[in-house]
Amino acid sequence: MKTVIVYESMFGNTERFATEIRDTLRAAGVSVVLADIRNARPYDLLGSDLLVVGAPTHAFTMSRPSTRDEAVHRGADPGREVLGIREWLTLLDDGFPTSADRPLVAVFDTRVTRVRRFPGAAAHRAAKVLRAQGFRIATEPRSFYVDDVTGPPSKGELAEARRWATQLPTLLAGLDPVTRGAT
C-alpha cells in the first residue's frame, strides 16, 4: 500500500502531526511519502492507495492568501504564504483520468484548543471539495488541537494522531484494488 501525506503548515504544527502520522504508518509497514504542499504535485499521487491531507484551520476553514499573510505577520516563514491546501486541491481535478485512479482520502486539520467548540474546520471543507471532485473520503475528517496559533500541540494530541494513523491501513482492507470499492 502506498500512502501520500500532503500538508500545509504555517508554524510547524500541522507538519508535526503529519510527521507523526507518517512515522506511525511506516512502523506498520506502509510505504509513505510525506510532502509539504509547496513541493507536492498532483502526479505524485498516481498509483497511491491513500492520500492523507493535513491543513491548519484559519478563520474556521482552509487558509486563504489573506490568512496566510496574517500568519506571516505573526512570525510564520514567508515562504509558506505562497500556496495552501485550498489552491492545491483545485489542481487535483485534472490529474486523474477516472475515479478508479483516485486514491481514497483521509483528511485532518489542526485547530487552536480555545475554538474547539466552534463550527468550521479546514478538514471538513477540504473533504467537501475532494468529494465534489470524485474522491472517496475514507473516514470522518479529524481535528487535532494546538495550544495557541504558534503551538505547541495540546497535551495528548500527538498520541491521538498516532491512534488515528493506526486505523488508516484498515480502511483499505477489503477494497477492490481496481475500483477501490467494497469486494
Side-chain angles (χ1 to χ4, degrees):
M1 175 172 76
K2 177 184 174 187
T3 297
V4 177
I5 301 171
V6 176
Y7 68 89
E8 170 189 354
S9 190
M10 297 302 296
F11 295 99
N13 296 307
T14 309
E15 179 177 12
R16 188 156 176 206
F17 282 99
T19 300
E20 288 290 328
I21 292 165
R22 178 205 58 200
D23 293 348
T24 301
L25 290 171
R26 281 187 177 162
V30 176
S31 171
V32 183
V33 174
L34 179 66
D36 182 303
I37 191 73
R38 297 170 295 173
N39 303 317
R41 303 295 174 254
Y43 58 80
D44 295 335
L45 304 178
L46 292 174
S48 63
D49 301 295
L50 181 66
L51 167 63
V52 178
V53 176
T57 297
H58 286 201
F60 309 112
T61 189
M62 295 183 287
S63 72
R64 294 180 297 281
S66 62
T67 61
R68 291 192 299 272
D69 180 60
E70 180 181 328
V72 168
H73 282 68
R74 288 181 171 205
D77 176 355
R80 296 189 180 268
E81 183 178 7
V82 177
L83 180 68
I85 289 290
R86 178 185 299 266
E87 295 84 6
W88 187 79
L89 291 177
T90 64
L91 304 174
L92 288 184
D93 212 19
D94 297 331
F96 298 92
T98 69
S99 59
D101 296 322
R102 296 167 193 255
L104 285 176
V105 180
V107 186
F108 76 93
D109 64 43
T110 53
R111 302 173 67 184
V112 176
T113 301
R114 70 177 175 268
V115 298
R116 179 183 295 262
R117 295 188 180 11
F118 290 160
H124 289 282
R125 182 66 184 136
K128 186 175 181 178
V129 169
L130 286 158
R131 270 190 209 98
Q133 292 176 336
F135 286 88
R136 286 192 43 229
I137 307 302
T139 186
E140 287 296 313
R142 181 64 198 261
S143 292
F144 298 111
Y145 296 93
V146 297
D147 287 341
D148 198 5
V149 171
T150 60
S154 298
K155 185 177 180 177
E157 288 298 295
L158 290 173
E160 282 299 313
R162 289 188 294 273
R163 271 192 287 282
W164 184 72
T166 62
Q167 299 170 12
L168 296 178
T170 63
L171 299 173
L172 295 169
L175 295 182
D176 181 300
V178 175
T179 65
R180 291 190 177 84
T183 56

